[in-house]
Amino acid sequence: MIVGTAGHIDHGKTSLVRTLTGVDTDRLKEEKARGISIDLGFAYLPAPDGPVLGFVDVPGHERFVHTMLAGASGIDFVLFVVAADDGVMPQTLEHLAIIDLLGIEHGLVALTKSDLASPRQRAQVAAEITAVLSATRLAGAEVIPLSTVTGEGIEALRGRLFAAAHSLGRRTARGRFRLAVDRSFTLAGTGTVVTGTVLSGEVAVGDQVVVSPAGLTARVRSIHAQNRPAERGRAGDRCALNLAGERISKEAIRRGDVVLDPVLHAPADRIDAVVRLLPAETRPATQWMPVRLHHAASETGARIVLLEDAPLGPGGEKRVQLVLEKPIAAAAGDRFVLRDTSAQRTIGGGRFLDLRAPARKRRTPVRLAQLEALMLGEPERVLAALLEREPGYVDLGGFARDHALAEDELARIVQALDVVRVSAKAQVFGLGPVTWLRLKRVLVSTLEAFHQANPDLPGIGFERLRLQLEPRLPAPAFASLLQGLARAGEVALDGAWVRLAGHEVRLTPQDEHLWERIAPLLAGAERFRPPRTRDIAQVLDVPEPDVRRLAKLIGRIGKVDEVAHDHFFLRATVAEMVQIGVDLAAASPTGEFTAAQFRDRMNNGRKVAIQILEFFDRHGVTLRRGDLRRMNSHRLDLFGATADARVEPVKSDQGREASPVGRPDFKSGRGREPVLGGFDSHSLPPPSRVGSAQ
Ligand SMILES: Nc1nc2c(ncn2[C@@H]2O[C@H](COP(=O)(O)OP(=O)(O)OP(=O)(O)O)[C@@H](O)[C@H]2O)c(=O)[nH]1
Ligand SMILES: [Mg+2]
């Protein structure tokens, strides 16, 4: 248990710690000379039944409230000191407000210097104290009259402290390791040592840690926990860590830094929070109001962005965004205190909600609903509520990190809530079980509707499908989800296309009939210079747009390729032309050939030959250097999948042969340019780029 003193200057905090522990924590020359505490003091007291109580003694001077804050943020139990001969004074109230804002619930009141006060005065001050405590978490705390001069009350106090240590027990070592640094020094023969309170988790000798926010890595060489050599330090211990690392030195680490589990290192400088303004404030908080933010042992400038319509007035509590001057190492749920910029008074404080607060759309109803979920505090309840709100999924890794959750804690919560996990690269997204079922149902019905409306298409484009569904998962997560469904045999993926496992492309009878008339024109002796759409339209006496539309459709299912604008070649012919290139390259000592050689092999016009080669260039089948080309061995089978010398009308069972090029690039969520059509050709204008000289 860590006991922290609090109270007005000169009320006897340090004397009391000295009487209890035998340690004079006012060690600085200046402290001795001025008779006041300036820096934090530390002392220990072993309880008879085993545990060691740690004491943090804080200064009472109004100029050192920031130091008091650094000391108070890690304590379990407050020894709230009020001198019987002086009564409630300004820092009595300010320290009390801070203790309350930090959420400290356990403590008692030491009515010090009782030897200097009459019984009547004692009773008066005690009543005063009871009144000011009544509106805080310490309401009803016991008031013990004491004197370090006469020894009155000291034994009683000691007894109460041991009893509290016993009943509070150890803090659970939940979460990943975090230690708020309050001192950093060099010890001869040992090296760099940092001290502080372990806020969560535990650390063991040999562990790798990171000093955040700077990001220095270090190894824990040795540990003192509660003033004794130890193999481990746990939440609630005051620890001294001997750190070793390339950039580790006493100067490199300062009060306010946090030593933590490397997984947790992710400094935040824009944090959504819930803030309470103290009732003693005279004015409401204004938009972009500058403040001093005190968190753990750190202190930085920040601005307040009000997120709610109603003003944040004295005594009020509202959600705000804190925009920090410099990043800090924090966790969601951590408490903080706000002081005015001239460091003269404490104005309020609260709890962090979201360390990755958005700079835009920060006060939309959707965002405020998320913050409401985050206000639930307990990670399991927060996650359950977040999963039910927009966007309908949660980045589980980020959630665990920002709540400092250990792996097994996250696993337990995920299991308790039946969260469906979708992994994508390094990230894992979680969906609530109901959301997941709904998403799957809508996905299937969307595909069904699409197939019904477009029986001639191989499927819906990946991106188009993604944008139609709620929740709209990030592309990599959606890709991974589809792959999962594909493995389960529920959907099939063909390059950029997604379809139901049972779907097959069907041409309408009219289209099938028209294709039966067009196909022969593209085959035979003229296959290397087939008629263009206009010529086909003329010969067959059908409107050219019909020919073009059908040719593109046939292209999507991989039976033809638009080599140049409105100039379609059978896929089998394209494969044959690739083979011609291969033969030419094989016959050439350098592996290179000219356009003229290519033209001669096909007995073609120069213009058409060039267009074919440029088509190959675009698809990386040929690699051009000046007038020469060679074949790209990695791409030779690009048009080979449907190589089929004979010309047949498209049969429905061949519809699966979607363009092999338009595979989705799951990294960016966009597809590469397919042979025909875009990532989702159905939703795009005709792919006029294809075939035009580039
Ligand atoms: N008579 C009497 N004097 C006391 C008692 N406790 C402390 N004092 C005196 O009060 C003065 C201040 O005591 P400190 O313990 O330094 O007070 P403090 O609260 O630590 O002061 P800061 O740390 O500067 O805020 C010293 O001169 C002490 O000797 C007490 O119980 N009785
Ligand atoms: Mg003192």
Side-chain angles (χ1 to χ4, degrees), residues 659-677:
S659 154
V661 179
R663 292 187 196 291
D665 170 7
F666 292 137
K667 233 184 258 173
S668 62
R670 284 165 211 284
R672 266 187 278 136
E673 192 76 62
V675 175
L676 286 176

Side-chain angles (χ1 to χ4, degrees), residues 14 26 37 57:
T14 305
D26 279 350
S37 301
D57 182 41

Side-chain angles (χ1 to χ4, degrees), residues 9-12 15 82-86 110-117 122 146-148:
I9 186 167
D10 229 20
H11 275 198
S15 305
V82 184
D85 63 336
D86 206 17
L111 190 61
T112 50
K113 307 198 190 182
S114 285
D115 55 296
L116 300 181
R122 289 186 189 193
L146 354 119
S147 166
T148 52

